[in-house]
Amino acid sequence: TAYEIRLSLVGSEMCIRDRVSTQSTGQVNRGSRHLTPLNNMLRLVARGSTPIRTGVVPTAKVPTRNAGAGLRDLRVRIKSVNSIQKITASMKLVAAAKLKAAQENVEESNPSLSSFLQVTQLAEAQADPLHTKNVAVVPVFADRGLCGSINSGIARAVTRILKTDLPAVENADFFVFGEKGRSLLARDYIRSFQVALVGFDKKKYIAFEDVLELVDQLSAGSYDQYLLLYNHFVNMITFRIQAKYFPNKAKVLEADWSEYEIEGDKDGVVSDLYDYYLATSIYGALVDNAAAELSARMSSMENASKNAGAMIQTLTIKFNKGRQAAITTELIEIISGAESFRVEAD
């Protein structure tokens, strides 16, 4: 009597599916259908009680699941997100430490800016935006990212103002502050770039002398109007985009200054006053934008840390579920194997 044993894959275990006995009469008698683990089958073969024919025919293939690989991937992801959370938390603390000094700089620069508000001649010399054809744009950006909409908001404001508020502009020259501004505006206005000043984020304090050379270039140009764009710091969680317009120096010189007692050359004194007014405004914009950048970075890093924590929690739950499923599967296989061995022994 010969036996034909058919093997199949059930999960990750190889089991006997059928036992078929062939008698001399050619009739086939099928034994009881039950699953026997492979190690039990090998014991029966070792005892000599189950002769096996050499040709073993496998049944339909069942794909196996590798739960360990999925758990390893989840463990790697949890570790990487945890590292990102530590970095964002550190960046938040650094921004918070620098923000206090930036707020003090803003408070110290406010008196100089407010003193020019009483000079009405500067406001009266403003050009009509609908007839402005030649304009100098001075946008203030940050040198780095990860600070919310600080940089993208200024870039959008530049495009909107040039298209809607100044529709008659034929020429716009750009004097850009910040590395991010140079990269954001280069696609549309690269040919209009005159100056790009970067590296202010590496300085602990912004010096007033850093803007004097730029002011000389601005005042020497024949522009109808100057446009200054920056982020105004309101409080720890709020900032808004500020746009300031400055008149041409020639228009300021033509204004009526008779109410002031000016010693010496009037044109020279008014020209120096205008340059100082322009330099003070640009310096105040740099200081104000730096404070807004730090507050925005602090808020962004805090949100990033919270999101990383939520992602870690989600991945941890998924990892625990996968591990419990793997343990449950192993227990079922052990119990099934023990039960099959008991049935075979009976």
Side-chain angles (χ1 to χ4, degrees):
T1 303
Y3 292 90
E4 178 181 354
I5 300 175
R6 296 187 179 183
L7 304 179
S8 64
L9 292 176
V10 178
S12 59
E13 296 290 337
M14 187 176 297
C15 304
I16 300 175
R17 190 65 181 176
D18 293 321
R19 179 187 297 176
V20 181
S21 61
T22 306
Q23 298 179 353
S24 58
T25 58
Q27 297 178 352
V28 178
N29 296 329
R30 297 188 180 273
S32 61
R33 292 179 177 268
H34 60 273
L35 300 179
T36 304
L38 181 61
N39 54 358
N40 295 340
M41 181 195 74
L42 294 179
R43 287 196 189 94
L44 295 175
V45 174
R47 293 200 304 263
S49 58
T50 310
I52 301 178
R53 206 169 65 182
T54 56
V56 178
V57 182
T59 59
K61 295 182 179 180
V62 179
T64 61
R65 296 183 302 172
N66 192 353
L71 295 178
R72 283 195 298 270
D73 293 340
L74 287 174
R75 189 180 292 109
V76 170
R77 288 187 62 187
I78 292 173
K79 185 177 180 180
S80 63
V81 176
N82 193 18
S83 300
I84 294 174
Q85 186 184 33
K86 293 180 180 179
I87 294 173
T88 54
S90 301
M91 293 181 67
K92 174 193 171 183
L93 296 178
V94 172
K98 292 182 177 180
L99 181 59
K100 184 177 180 181
Q103 285 181 278
E104 294 177 356
N105 292 337
V106 172
E107 294 174 358
E108 293 175 358
S109 63
N110 285 334
S112 299
L113 295 173
S114 60
S115 62
F116 287 99
L117 298 178
Q118 302 176 2
V119 183
T120 58
Q121 285 78 2
L122 296 174
E124 293 174 355
Q126 290 284 1
D128 185 3
L130 298 178
H131 298 87
T132 301
K133 295 183 179 181
N134 194 12
V135 63
V137 184
V138 186
V140 180
F141 292 85
D143 285 313
R144 295 182 299 166
L146 300 178
C147 52
S149 60
I150 285 286
N151 298 312
S152 59
I154 294 293
R156 290 192 299 266
V158 168
T159 303
R160 176 181 56 80
I161 290 176
L162 291 179
K163 290 183 178 180
T164 59
D165 298 349
L166 301 173
V169 169
E170 297 177 356
N171 176 53
D173 291 338
F174 283 81
F175 301 82
V176 183
F177 285 93
E179 180 64 34
K180 287 298 180 179
R182 182 168 61 179
S183 60
L184 287 174
L185 298 178
R187 184 180 63 179
D188 298 328
Y189 307 105
I190 184 62
R191 296 183 179 179
S192 301
F193 276 23
Q194 300 298 319
V195 176
L197 301 176
V198 299
F200 289 96
D201 64 322
K202 299 179 181 179
K203 298 181 179 181
K204 186 175 182 180
Y205 297 100
I206 301 175
F208 186 74
E209 293 78 9
D210 294 337
V211 302
L212 296 181
E213 184 178 355
L214 176 65
V215 170
D216 292 338
Q217 297 183 29
L218 288 172
S219 59
S222 57
Y223 299 104
D224 299 332
Q225 203 169 36
Y226 301 93
L227 172 61
L228 176 63
L229 282 163
Y230 64 97
N231 292 283
H232 172 57
F233 173 78
V234 179
N235 52 46
M236 298 288 289
I237 59 175
T238 307
F239 63 90
R240 63 172 180 265
I241 298 176
Q242 191 80 20
K244 288 186 177 181
Y245 293 91
F246 301 91
N248 185 284
K249 181 186 289 188
K251 295 287 186 64
V252 175
L253 294 175
E254 294 174 358
D256 184 13
W257 294 88
S258 59
E259 60 178 301
Y260 296 95
E261 294 182 3
I262 299 177
E263 297 180 358
D265 184 16
K266 180 183 77 69
D267 291 343
V269 173
V270 173
S271 178
D272 293 340
L273 178 65
Y274 176 83
D275 291 343
Y276 180 71
Y277 168 57
L278 192 59
T280 304
S281 300
I282 295 177
Y283 175 77
L286 287 175
V287 173
D288 208 356
N289 190 85
E293 174 195 350
L294 291 173
S295 66
R297 178 171 288 113
M298 187 178 67
S299 300
S300 298
M301 293 302 100
E302 182 179 2
N303 294 333
S305 299
K306 291 180 180 179
N307 293 336
M311 184 176 293
I312 290 173
Q313 185 177 3
T314 302
L315 292 176
T316 302
I317 293 174
K318 189 175 181 181
F319 174 80
N320 292 335
K321 288 182 178 180
R323 185 175 60 178
Q324 291 173 0
I327 294 174
T328 304
T329 302
E330 292 177 359
L331 290 175
I332 292 175
E333 291 174 354
I334 293 172
I335 295 172
S336 299
E339 183 67 18
S340 299
F341 181 75
R342 186 183 63 81
V343 172
E344 181 66 23
D346 294 341

